[in-house]
Amino acid sequence: MTAATRSTLFPQVPDSADAVLDGLDPEQREVATALHGPVCVLAGAGTGKTRAITHRIAYGVRAGILQPASVLAVTFTNRAAGEMRGRLRQLGAGGVQARTFHSAALRQLQYFWPKAVGGDVPRLIERKVQFVAEAAARCRVRLDRNELRDVTGEIEWSKVTQTVPEDYPAAVAKVGREAPRDPAEIGRIYATYEQLKRDRGVIDFEDVLLLTVGVIQDRHDIAETVRGQYQHFVVDEYQDVSPLQQRLLDLWVGDRNNLCVVGDASQTIYSFTGATPDHLLNFRNRHPDATVVKLIRDYRSTPQVVNLANGVLAHARGRAAEHRLELVSQREPGPEPAFTEYGDEPAEAEGTARRVRDLIASGVPASEIAILFRANSQSAVYEGALADAGVPYQLRGAERFFERTEVREAGAALRGAARFGANDALLDDIVDLPSQVRAVLSTKGWTPEPPAGAGAARDRWESLAALVRLAEDFVRAKADATLADLVAELDERANAQHAPTVEGVTLASLHAAKGLEWDAVFLVGLTEGMMPIAYAKTDEQIEEERRLLYVGVTRARRHLALSWSLSRTPGGRATRRASRFLNGLRPGSATRRPEAASTGGTGGVERPGAPVRKRRVPARCRVCGRTLTDAGEMKLMRCEDCPSELDEALYARLHDWRAERAKGLGQPAYCIFTDKTLLAIAEAVPENEGQLAGISGVGVRKLGRFGADVLALCGGEELTHTDAADAPEHPSAERGADASKKSSEDSAKK
C-alpha cells in the first residue's frame, strides 16, 4: 500500500465490524451498537455525533445486521449529507442512502407519481420569488425586492408548519410571530400564489414534502413499498425538524421502531423557519422504550472554551434549557477566553483586526480564524478594518457590504446627487453632509427608525443606516467634506475591499457559522440590542438568542475572544452596555447564581424501562423569581399573591369538560385533573403537547388520554358531547391522522 493511501485523504477501510468500533469512546460505542428499537442521541457541540451515527450504520452493515439499501440517513444540508456519505464509504458502508429530507422525498415522488397520479411530476419552480411577485401584483400589492424575500419566507414558514392561507393571520398571532406586512395581506398573497401554481401546473420546494406525504398516506400499497425498501432510519440535527418533516418521517417509519435520532436542543437557532426542538424533547414520551445516549465529551474545544460555553447556558430558562448538556473537554488546556471592552465600533474593529494579524503572524492560518457577528450589517466595519490591516478575508453566507444591491443602488443615488445636486429640490436648504445623505437615502428606503422585526427589509435598512453612520463619521474627520468627497471615499473603500482572496479570515453571521469550526473565533458586537437582538421580545426569543451565542462560542477550538463597544462612533456617548448573557462570565461583571444542573447534564445511557433520574431543580415563581416550597404554588409556578394571567373563559370551559369526562368515566373529577392543574393550564394556555406536558399534574398517561381535548380547548375549539365523553385512549393520534388526511387531499389537488 502506498504512502498516499495511508494518508488522511485515503484512510484505510476497517477490516472487520469490530474494527469499526475502534477509537470510539464508551458513549459513542453505545450509539454504534444500539441497532434495534428507537434510539435518541443527545449530542452536545463537538462531541462527535456524526462519527457516532456513521459508525453505528457502518457497524450494523459490516456485522450483517443492516442491509445497506435498507438504511436511510436524513440530514438538513447537502454538505452534511455529502460528508456522511463520504464517511460511510471510508468505513466500508458505501451503499447506504444519506440524503436531505427534500432530496429523499423528491426521489420518491418522481418514482411513484406515475403510479399514484399519472404522467410526469409537475415541474419544480426554480425561483419562487417570481411567482410571489406575480401573486402580489394580482392582489394589487406592491412589494420591493426585500419585501418579496420576506413574504416568500412567510409562505415557506406557513407550509412547513402546515398552515393554510386562510389560517395565516391567526397562526402568526398565536405564536407571536412578527409578520413583515399586514398578515391578512400576506394571507391573500399566499392564497393567490397557491392558485397561480395550480394554474401553471408547477410545484415548489415545500410541495415536494407535502405531495410525498399525500401519496404515501393515501396509497397503502406505495406506503408498504417505501417501508419495505427502508427498514432503518437515522435523522441528524433532529432539533431542526419542522412539523411537516416530522409528518413525513412518521409515514416513512410506520408502526416500526427502528429509528435513531440525533440532536441538541441547545443548538436550536432556526425557529423562524419552522424548526422546533419539541420532537427531540418529546421523543422519550412518544417512544417510552427508547434507548437514550448522551454525548458530553467535547473533542473540539479546550477546557477554557468549554467552560465558557457551559456558563452561557447556566442561566438559560425554558424547556430546552432543562435538557441542556454539560460538556466536558477532552483536549489539553489552552488560553483563557479574552473579554475586551472598546470605546467605539471602529476601535473594536481595528483592535480585532490587529489581534487577527498577530495570530496569523504566530502561525495560525488565516483560514482557521473567524469573526462572527449577529447581523450581516455589522460586517462593513470589519471588512474595512481587515482591508486596512492588509488581512485577506472572505464573507460567508452574505454578499460583501459594497456588493449588496441596496448599497450599490445607494452609491449610484449619492453619485448622482453629488453631480447634479444643485438642481435637485430634495437637497434645497440642506447644508450639512449627513443630512444630505439621509435625504438621498430616504428615497431608497432609509427611515429614522428601523422597520419592526427581522427579515430582508430590516437587513436593507441596516445597510443604508451603515452608510448614514459612515457619512457622520466622515464629516467628523473632515469637517469641510462635500457629498462628492464622500462618494470618492465610498469608491475607494469598495475598490480596496474587492481584491480577490484565496486564503482569508472568515467573516460570517452566527447563523451562517452553524456546523463550522475554527482554531480562533472572535465574537464581536456583543451589546444589548445586538445580542440579544433588539426585536427579540418574548422569553422564547431571548432564549434562542442565548443559544445563538452558545453556538458561536462552541465554534472555537482554542482561541476565543469576545468584545463589545460602548459607543457607535469615536467621541460618542457611552450609552451601550455589554450583553446580559455575559453577566457573571466576564471579569468585573455581576455574578449570578447559576441554575441547578439540568436533567441532561451528565453523559451516559438510559436503557428502556429504566427510571429516568432527574436532578431536582428549585422551583421558582415565574413572576417574582422567589423559590417556591408550597405544593400548590409549585403546581402554578407562581406565588399565590403574585398576579395571575388566568384565561377565565378557558378555565370555565376546562371545568365543564372535566365534569363531563368524569361523569362519562364514572370517576371523581379530580381523577381527571385537579383544580390547581386546571388553573395552571388556564394560566399557561399551552399550544402543543410539549408545553402541556411541562405543567405539573399532566403526566404521560394523562397527556395521551386527555391531551388532545385540552389542547383543542386551549386553541378555542368547541368539543361535542361525543368528543368529550367517548374519546379514545390516544385521541391525539386520531386527530393528527384526520388533519394529515385533509392536508394530503389538499396537496393532491395541486
Side-chain angles (χ1 to χ4, degrees), residues 187-523:
R188 290 197 301 274
I189 296 172
Y190 176 17
T192 306
Y193 166 80
E194 291 295 314
Q195 184 61 52
L196 193 59
K197 287 195 292 101
R198 286 192 290 270
D199 293 344
R200 304 272 173 87
V202 296
I203 59 175
D204 63 23
F205 212 45
E206 290 70 42
D207 290 331
V208 171
L209 299 183
L210 282 165
L211 291 172
T212 305
V213 164
V215 167
I216 296 176
Q217 186 169 271
D218 292 346
R219 290 290 298 268
H220 295 295
D221 55 334
I222 292 176
E224 290 307 310
T225 301
V226 172
R227 293 166 190 161
Q229 169 73 50
Y230 297 115
Q231 307 287 325
H232 301 268
F233 298 85
V234 177
V235 184
D236 194 12
E237 301 288 2
Y238 193 56
Q239 78 278 353
D240 291 333
V241 166
S242 71
L244 180 55
Q245 289 165 333
Q246 179 62 46
R247 191 165 148 206
L248 178 58
L249 179 63
D250 288 340
L251 288 169
W252 280 342
V253 175
D255 58 2
R256 298 163 300 170
N257 63 2
N258 287 324
L259 171 65
C260 174
V261 300
V262 189
D264 178 11
S266 296
Q267 296 188 68
T268 305
I269 59 172
Y270 297 113
S271 66
F272 58 90
T273 67
T276 170
D278 287 347
H279 306 298
L280 175 67
L281 299 178
N282 292 336
F283 192 84
R284 192 72 182 270
N285 292 337
R286 295 185 65 190
H287 303 277
D289 57 337
T291 297
V292 178
V293 185
K294 298 174 184 176
L295 304 183
I296 63 166
R297 301 173 197 249
D298 187 305
Y299 297 95
R300 175 187 299 158
S301 306
T302 62
Q304 288 77 11
V305 172
V306 166
N307 288 342
L308 181 59
N310 288 335
V312 169
L313 293 184
H315 302 285
R317 296 179 178 275
R319 191 153 178 253
E322 294 171 5
H323 294 263
R324 67 183 182 269
L325 299 166
E326 192 86 8
L327 301 178
V328 180
S329 175
Q330 306 299 299
R331 293 193 56 180
E332 292 294 319
E336 289 290 338
F339 295 85
T340 309
E341 182 174 275
Y342 293 92
D344 52 72
E345 274 185 18
E348 183 179 3
E350 290 163 11
T352 301
R354 282 195 304 271
R355 297 186 64 181
V356 167
R357 190 174 55 194
D358 292 343
L359 276 176
I360 294 173
S362 72
V364 179
S367 60
E368 284 295 343
I369 302 174
I371 299 175
L372 306 181
F373 34 76
R374 175 61 181 86
N376 284 324
S377 60
Q378 293 173 275
S379 77
V381 66
Y382 292 93
E383 291 178 55
L386 291 173
D388 291 344
V391 176
Y393 67 88
Q394 54 188 338
L395 202 61
R396 181 180 181 88
E399 296 171 297
R400 295 187 183 197
F401 182 77
F402 286 101
E403 292 176 355
R404 295 172 191 167
T405 301
E406 62 269 21
V407 175
R408 292 202 307 269
E409 291 175 349
L414 291 170
R415 198 171 292 109
R419 187 176 302 172
F420 307 111
N423 301 318
D424 191 342
L426 184 69
L427 300 181
D428 285 350
D429 302 324
I430 298 179
V431 178
D432 65 291
L433 176 60
S435 295
Q436 290 177 334
V437 172
R438 293 187 197 101
V440 173
L441 296 188
S442 66
T443 66
K444 298 297 178 183
W446 179 84
T447 55
E449 294 298 324
R458 177 69 180 237
D459 291 344
R460 178 185 177 88
W461 184 91
E462 292 284 4
S463 294
L464 297 178
L467 291 175
V468 172
R469 291 195 297 269
L470 193 147
E472 294 168 349
D473 297 343
F474 187 59
V475 81
R476 286 192 190 94
K478 189 178 179 182
D480 58 347
T482 65
L483 197 53
D485 294 331
L486 176 65
V487 168
E489 174 70 13
L490 293 176
D491 288 341
E492 222 174 282
R493 287 176 177 245
N495 291 332
Q497 295 177 45
H498 283 176
T501 59
V502 176
E503 166 84 2
V505 171
T506 298
L507 287 172
S509 70
L510 289 165
H511 282 102
K514 176 75 165 63
L516 304 175
E517 57 187 77
W518 295 269
D519 283 345
V521 169
F522 291 81
L523 301 176

Side-chain angles (χ1 to χ4, degrees), residues 40 70 84 87 103 134 148 253 280 284 341 353 439 470 479 559 603 731:
C40 179
S70 72
M84 195 177 291
R87 292 200 191 193
S103 173
E134 186 172 345
L148 268 175
V253 175
L280 175 67
R284 192 72 182 270
E341 182 174 275
L470 193 147
H559 303 278

Side-chain angles (χ1 to χ4, degrees), residues 630-647:
D630 177 75
E633 291 183 338
M634 291 171 68
K635 189 179 286 284
L636 293 175
M637 290 305 292
R638 65 170 175 83
C639 306
E640 286 284 1
D641 54 353
C642 275
S644 167
E645 298 176 351
L646 176 66
D647 184 331

